[in-house]
Amino acid sequence: MLNETPTKNKNLEAWVREAAELCQPDRVVWCDGTERERDELTRQAIGLGEVELLDPVKWPGCLYARSTENDVARVEQSTFICTRSKKAAGNTNNWMDPQEAYRKLSEIFKNSMKGRTLYVVPYIMGIPGSRFNKIGVEITDSIYVVLNMRIMTRMGTIALQELGAEGKFTKGLHGKADLDDHHRFICHFPEDNTIWSVGSNYGGNVLLGKKCLALRIASWLGNQEGWLAEHMMIAGIQDPSGKIEYVAAAFPSQCGKTNLAMLVPPASMKGYRVWTVGDDIAWMRIGEDGRLWAVNPEAGFFGVAPGTNSKTNPNALAAVRKNTIFTNVLKTEDGGVWWEGMDGEPPTKGVNWRGQPWTPSSTEKGAHSNSRFTAPAGQCPSISLEWENPKGVPISAIIFGGRRARVTPLVYQSRNWQHGVYVGATVASETTSAATGEVGVVRRDPMAMLPFCGYDMGDYFSHWLEMGRRLKNPPKIFCVNWFRKDDKGNILWPGFGENLRVLQWILSRAEGNVGAIDSVIGFLPKAEDLNLKGIDLSPEKIASLLSISKEDWIDEIKDEATFFEKIGATLPPEIQSEREALIQRLSMEMV
Ligand code: OXD
Ligand code: MN
């Protein structure tokens, strides 16, 4: 922790001075990222009541935090893309004029750090030493944010060294202000490479390297520089011969990306392993070999706690046993943590996420449904040897998915890249508690990027199409749905480790080793080509999982039209013609 300026970068110095003038903190502290600094900040945060220490024997190095009750999820209605022209932000983003946004937020930031410390957090998104890195600097008055950023990014002196005297960086200004949701704004200024976030202390709104830089700003930069910043997990699938193939998969929040990235193969699939490269974000570039190469720009996992147990995700459980920050879970009497869906019996007593006494007979949940763990990725037993390879890993298959009780089958393959972009563009999912708002409503979430694309969605689809034209050896594109239900509302597919069976089919298809049924929506597996050994699923269930209902798809296409109309004139004609081709196939064939 340094009190004097440790950088020769004049732009950085000037910007920190400017922010301090606006926010008027008592002190300015530059973070160096050392363990000594972490210990000192932890001590201070405990003193301020921002975090509590968990039992040091059972949960070594772990901290417990609660956010205010009205500040537990991303706030999409208060998230803005502030480009000079509204058109650049597109119709699916909230837009604010940059002058107005700076003025409005300045009023909230003004003097808001009086009596507080302003921390300067330099960080790297990407692998240190890689030419594809982006450097960010977050200014914040929250020690909780600093402690989380040091897990989620490569932070401190290492980032200042990489930045050097002349380097460019994303300016991120964060302040808690009064944590009043009327004063909560998450504003992105892609033309200024700047983010201003105020009035929140919840991860997705305030860990500015993650959704704000690595997705919203990075997707804008990717469009200009010719690469993709995506809301995707990345994993390597090792087969019994030892060969590893990599997949990247996009799912909306809370649809199991982290579980898929850390999947443990079922006992009946001997010789298979899944290696985690990343669980949330993929930066993908075209390699010299004409393939798509993906890097996880983050250094940690900011995962959803409820439902994580030794069956659903033993690797995540192992990863969070030390040096982890738990937010909005239940704190047990013996200094441990608990959440709904954890192994074993619930504790007899505890303090819930609101800070109130809790017992199993309480009507309220112990942990908030969007409660989180922040854990260093390197602690995950399934972490890939390649996860810090600056080149990234070559992607054989891209997978899109959503949470759909009906309509979408367990898995299908698109016909080609253009059709795959259409499939990604039409992904829909039932909403979850990762964002404020109604839960369980079907909404279009193209490429799982609706809340994260930093520019016009139609232009984003065009960028995907352009990437496909440049790829000599593109990954094959698939769509999956682990959440299909029968008429009685029961989920049909067991999910979790068994999802590897679907990945196995996907990779066989990507390699051209297996046939498929050429259906109206794309290539469907023949039931006999799915590896179902050791799994108890009736042929009727398999048939339901792979079935497509003409009526459902006609409704689906109508709903797509409404969404495409919203995107407006920038919707690429290729997407329109894919849709028309599907309409034609549906009207010609009985499915
Ligand atoms: C996340 C999200 O936190 O997608 O990863 O909401
Ligand atoms: Mn996410």
Side-chain angles (χ1 to χ4, degrees), residues 74 210-211 215 231-232 251-254 257 279-281 298 302 372 434 448 452:
R74 284 183 290 99
K210 192 175 179 63
K211 302 301 186 185
L215 288 177
H231 191 203
M232 290 183 178
F251 297 85
S253 313
Q254 293 190 357
K257 277 205 310 294
D279 80 325
D280 195 42
I281 298 177
E298 301 191 278
F302 182 63
R372 299 280 177 147
F452 307 120

Side-chain angles (χ1 to χ4, degrees), residues 193-378:
N193 201 4
T194 293
I195 305 154
W196 280 22
S197 162
V198 72
S200 172
N201 205 30
Y202 166 75
N205 300 327
V206 300
L207 307 179
L208 300 185
K210 192 175 179 63
K211 302 301 186 185
C212 301
L213 192 166
L215 288 177
R216 298 194 190 98
I217 296 285
S219 59
W220 169 283
L221 293 173
N223 186 34
Q224 289 177 350
E225 298 169 4
W227 53 283
L228 292 167
E230 297 300 324
H231 191 203
M232 290 183 178
M233 58 68 91
I234 312 164
I237 319 298
Q238 181 174 336
D239 73 11
S241 76
K243 189 172 75 176
I244 304 180
E245 300 273 348
Y246 295 89
V247 301
F251 297 85
S253 313
Q254 293 190 357
C255 286
K257 277 205 310 294
T258 303
N259 293 345
L260 188 66
M262 298 178 191
L263 183 151
V264 174
S268 53
M269 289 185 75
K270 282 211 176 41
Y272 277 89
R273 296 282 309 252
V274 173
W275 299 106
T276 312
V277 179
D279 80 325
D280 195 42
I281 298 177
W283 284 359
M284 303 197 286
R285 295 172 193 273
I286 300 174
E288 278 161 17
D289 56 359
R291 299 187 72 184
L292 196 58
W293 289 72
V295 162
N296 167 17
E298 301 191 278
F301 306 124
F302 182 63
V304 178
T308 306
N309 60 47
S310 56
K311 179 170 168 277
T312 58
N313 196 337
N315 284 315
L317 270 195
V320 306
R321 285 314 298 202
K322 55 183 185 186
N323 308 321
T324 294
I325 302 172
F326 294 95
T327 305
N328 293 338
V329 298
L330 177 130
K331 186 164 179 236
T332 60
E333 275 206 309
D334 60 352
V337 287
W338 182 84
W339 48 77
E340 278 73 16
M342 206 184 195
D343 293 307
E345 292 297 311
T348 51
K349 272 194 200 155
V351 180
N352 72 9
W353 70 275
R354 289 187 205 271
Q356 290 160 352
W358 182 93
T359 67
S361 58
S362 299
T363 46
E364 273 212 49
K365 288 207 164 125
H368 186 272
S369 52
N370 191 36
S371 54
R372 299 280 177 147
F373 53 77
T374 317

Side-chain angles (χ1 to χ4, degrees), residues 276-533:
T276 312
V277 179
D279 80 325
D280 195 42
I281 298 177
W283 284 359
M284 303 197 286
R285 295 172 193 273
I286 300 174
E288 278 161 17
D289 56 359
R291 299 187 72 184
L292 196 58
W293 289 72
V295 162
N296 167 17
E298 301 191 278
F301 306 124
F302 182 63
V304 178
T308 306
N309 60 47
S310 56
K311 179 170 168 277
T312 58
N313 196 337
N315 284 315
L317 270 195
V320 306
R321 285 314 298 202
K322 55 183 185 186
N323 308 321
T324 294
I325 302 172
F326 294 95
T327 305
N328 293 338
V329 298
L330 177 130
K331 186 164 179 236
T332 60
E333 275 206 309
D334 60 352
V337 287
W338 182 84
W339 48 77
E340 278 73 16
M342 206 184 195
D343 293 307
E345 292 297 311
T348 51
K349 272 194 200 155
V351 180
N352 72 9
W353 70 275
R354 289 187 205 271
Q356 290 160 352
W358 182 93
T359 67
S361 58
S362 299
T363 46
E364 273 212 49
K365 288 207 164 125
H368 186 272
S369 52
N370 191 36
S371 54
R372 299 280 177 147
F373 53 77
T374 317
Q379 288 184 185
C380 182
S382 59
I383 198 75
S384 161
L385 281 177
E386 299 296 326
W387 88 283
E388 291 189 293
N389 186 337
K391 242 178 104 183
V393 293
I395 299 298
S396 301
I398 288 179
I399 304 167
F400 294 116
R403 184 183 282 272
R404 298 300 299 270
R406 301 169 61 96
V407 187
T408 323
L410 176 65
V411 58
Y412 68 100
Q413 182 188 0
S414 64
R415 294 169 189 285
N416 50 42
W417 183 272
Q418 177 172 304
H419 180 228
V421 175
Y422 166 75
V423 169
T426 51
V427 163
S429 193
E430 291 148 23
T431 50
T432 67
S433 63
T436 52
E438 210 180 331
V439 168
V441 185
V442 174
R443 77 163 182 184
R444 297 276 139 202
D445 191 351
M447 280 91 170
M449 282 289 277
L450 184 69
F452 307 120
C453 182
Y455 62 106
D456 179 274
M457 193 55 85
D459 291 344
Y460 168 72
F461 296 157
S462 295
H463 179 46
W464 264 83
L465 292 167
E466 174 58 20
M467 288 290 289
R469 285 188 280 272
R470 286 174 47 214
L471 277 161
K472 277 205 300 291
N473 199 353
K476 303 287 188 288
I477 301 181
F478 297 80
C479 185
V480 299
N481 177 19
W482 315 134
F483 301 94
R484 183 116 178 211
K485 292 184 178 164
D486 64 16
D487 293 342
K488 297 195 190 78
N490 305 308
I491 295 238
L492 284 160
W493 178 247
F496 303 107
E498 310 296 348
N499 292 339
L500 183 56
R501 299 172 190 279
V502 176
L503 297 182
Q504 193 187 8
W505 181 79
I506 285 175
L507 287 173
S508 308
R509 283 296 297 170
E511 283 166 34
N513 291 343
V514 71
I517 299 166
D518 189 355
S519 84
V520 281
I521 62 166
F523 299 116
L524 282 168
K526 297 182 192 155
E528 65 270 25
D529 288 335
L530 280 174
N531 170 5
L532 298 172
K533 273 189 227 95

